[in-house]
Amino acid sequence: MNRDGLVVTSVDQSSLKKKTAVSSSWILLDREGQSTTLDVDKHVIMRRVQIHARDLRILDPMLNYPSTILGREKVIVLNLEHIKAIITADEVLLRDPMDDNVIPIVEQLQRRLASDYPISQGQGEEEDNHPGVRNNFETGEQNEFPFEFRALEVLLEAICSFLDARTRELETDAYPALDELTSKISSRNLDRVRKLKSAMTRLTNRVQKVRDELEQLLDDDDDMADLYLSRKLAVASSPVSGSGAPHWFLNSPTIGSKISRTISRGSVETTQEENDVEELEMLLEAYFMQIDGTLNKLSTLDNHRNQLIQLELFLCSGTVCLSVYSLVAAIFGMNIPYTWKTGHGYVFKWVVIITGIVCGSLFSIIMFYARHKGLVGS
């Protein structure tokens, strides 16, 4: 039993998967990157982080909630695909830590939080008043980035990288399939492309949900201000409201958020507006651009596939129509005496008209069938 009254258990992966829905496994990571596995029910989690049941329900893997990032009084509730986390100003709670997709995230959090902690240890008294503050020793400037944003950055980087990897895998399968369809149109190749289209649609919807959530968050300054947990704690503990609110500067080592840190020294003020969300906006904007790029890749792949299949269908339909005309011409070109050839010249005109209608109808049926099967866009 630890200082918070929680029973800490050491369980392996197989036992975790056998737990019922009443009990759930979490992993807790503190500022130092130290992890503790917790096997507790939702009521313990609710008491620990002080959130409502409706917020915790968002993280239930049995329920299909959309991608969500919520800022509450003392926590950030994050539900992005398989990443279901609760972030406070001092720790991160991650659900289902033994899931194959979550294990790399736990390792990344441990590395990043542990690497940042020694730097923050040397900040002296000022850091004791404002947790998460770090100095940039190379520039001599004070660069502050709260714990909750360092954790949030790791999770955003993880989900963006995960979806981008799924997109690259889909591209690897899709382009050879499209090339094979170009060289030979067959029911097998068409069915393979149709299945890839279904997979692409599902992945596009997943990427779109994450993108929409980030866009919605970026469009609302109040929602972004709710994510400043450390600042809210500093304001609450300050003798004068707002006088202790620090200015959070972005200091990110990740590939996904290589944002310029050449901010002039004159921008550092002792007091800041509580609704100043510029640095968080820069962080979210970096990952929004990354997820938007992933969505653009899927759109480009889908357009390429549609154009290729439409071209092939147009060519095939045109070939069929010409074949019908050739058949009619061959029949009329035969040197066989017909009684209706004499005095019935108008028959040829009607044959041409009827053949054209049949070919047009056949072309429309082919395209309608292709759209119905999802082979081409509308």
Side-chain angles (χ1 to χ4, degrees):
M1 180 175 293
N2 64 4
R3 58 182 175 83
D4 298 303
L6 296 177
V7 178
V8 180
T9 59
S10 178
V11 290
D12 58 11
Q13 182 174 357
S14 60
S15 61
L16 283 172
K17 293 182 178 180
K18 294 178 181 179
K19 295 298 179 182
T20 63
V22 178
S23 178
S24 58
S25 60
W26 298 76
I27 189 167
L28 183 148
L29 296 102
D30 59 17
R31 291 182 168 277
E32 305 176 35
Q34 299 296 323
S35 61
T36 304
T37 302
L38 307 176
D39 187 19
V40 295
D41 61 23
K42 62 181 182 181
H43 300 289
V44 177
I45 298 296
M46 289 167 56
R47 288 195 299 268
R48 181 183 182 91
V49 298
Q50 301 180 27
I51 62 173
H52 296 291
R54 62 176 177 270
D55 294 329
L56 189 59
R57 195 179 301 120
I58 296 174
L59 306 180
D60 192 338
M62 303 300 293
L63 303 176
N64 188 23
Y65 276 91
S67 297
T68 306
I69 302 176
L70 295 177
R72 293 295 184 249
E73 182 63 27
K74 297 182 178 180
V75 301
I76 298 173
V77 181
L78 185 141
N79 176 36
L80 298 175
E81 293 280 324
H82 55 277
I83 303 176
K84 303 179 186 298
I86 300 174
I87 305 173
T88 72
D90 299 298
E91 60 190 21
V92 182
L93 282 164
L94 201 61
R95 188 158 193 166
D96 298 330
M98 301 309 296
D99 184 273
D100 291 339
N101 294 323
V102 179
I103 291 176
I105 302 173
V106 174
E107 295 173 350
Q108 181 70 358
L109 278 169
Q110 290 173 331
R111 286 195 300 269
R112 295 275 288 280
L113 296 178
S115 63
D116 289 340
Y117 185 73
I119 299 177
S120 62
Q121 279 283 74
Q123 300 306 311
E125 266 185 21
E126 185 173 358
E127 185 177 48
D128 293 336
N129 296 328
H130 304 300
V133 175
R134 297 183 294 170
N135 280 342
N136 190 332
F137 294 114
E138 295 179 358
T139 62
E141 297 181 357
Q142 187 182 48
N143 289 326
E144 306 171 356
F145 203 39
F147 170 84
E148 64 267 21
F149 289 170
R150 284 183 275 140
L152 178 63
E153 185 178 25
V154 173
L155 300 181
L156 289 176
E157 180 184 354
I159 190 60
C160 290
S161 300
F162 175 81
L163 293 174
D164 186 65
R166 301 292 82 74
T167 300
R168 291 197 302 269
E169 290 175 1
L170 187 61
E171 286 179 326
T172 302
D173 295 335
Y175 283 114
L178 293 174
D179 293 339
E180 189 174 349
L181 183 64
T182 304
S183 59
K184 180 181 179 182
I185 298 179
S186 64
S187 58
R188 174 181 172 274
N189 290 340
L190 288 173
D191 185 64
R192 182 184 177 189
V193 171
R194 182 182 63 81
K195 291 179 180 178
L196 287 172
K197 166 66 175 177
S198 299
M200 188 187 307
T201 300
R202 290 192 298 270
L203 182 58
T204 301
N205 291 336
R206 294 163 61 188
V207 174
Q208 185 72 53
K209 289 178 182 178
V210 176
R211 180 192 179 278
D212 289 346
E213 179 61 24
L214 290 178
E215 183 178 28
Q216 182 179 354
L217 195 59
L218 284 166
D219 289 340
D220 195 323
D221 287 352
D222 292 335
D223 287 345
M224 286 191 286
D226 287 338
L227 303 185
Y228 280 78
L229 305 180
S230 296
R231 184 161 71 183
K232 287 189 287 186
L233 288 176
V235 170
S237 61
S238 174
V240 181
S241 179
S243 64
H247 182 71
W248 304 120
F249 272 87
L250 184 62
N251 185 18
S252 167
T254 62
I255 298 176
S257 61
K258 290 181 178 177
I259 305 171
S260 174
R261 296 190 291 270
T262 57
I263 303 175
S264 62
R265 185 184 296 272
S267 64
V268 180
E269 303 290 343
T270 57
T271 60
Q272 298 294 334
E273 296 291 338
E274 289 187 23
N275 61 349
D276 181 9
V277 295
E278 180 181 355
E279 284 69 42
L280 175 59
E281 186 175 5
M282 293 170 64
L283 172 64
L284 296 176
E285 183 70 25
Y287 290 103
F288 174 80
M289 293 174 63
Q290 183 175 345
I291 199 69
D292 190 59
T294 301
L295 186 61
N296 288 336
K297 285 197 290 186
L298 288 169
S299 300
T300 301
L301 179 60
D302 189 46
N303 292 335
H304 176 73
R305 182 196 64 86
N306 284 341
Q307 292 173 0
L308 180 59
I309 296 180
Q310 283 178 345
L311 175 61
E312 293 294 336
L313 287 174
F314 273 116
L315 293 176
C316 291
S317 301
T319 302
V320 171
C321 294
L322 289 176
S323 300
V324 173
Y325 267 107
S326 300
L327 176 63
V328 174
I331 293 175
F332 276 87
M334 285 193 235
N335 191 17
I336 300 177
Y338 293 104
T339 56
W340 45 266
K341 280 187 177 182
T342 306
H344 296 85
Y346 64 89
V347 174
F348 179 76
K349 177 181 69 175
W350 284 109
V351 169
V352 172
I353 293 174
I354 293 172
T355 305
I357 293 175
V358 170
C359 292
S361 301
L362 183 61
F363 180 82
S364 300
I365 290 172
I366 294 174
M367 296 305 297
F368 175 79
Y369 176 81
R371 290 192 178 97
H372 178 70
K373 292 296 184 181
L375 295 175
V376 297
S378 301

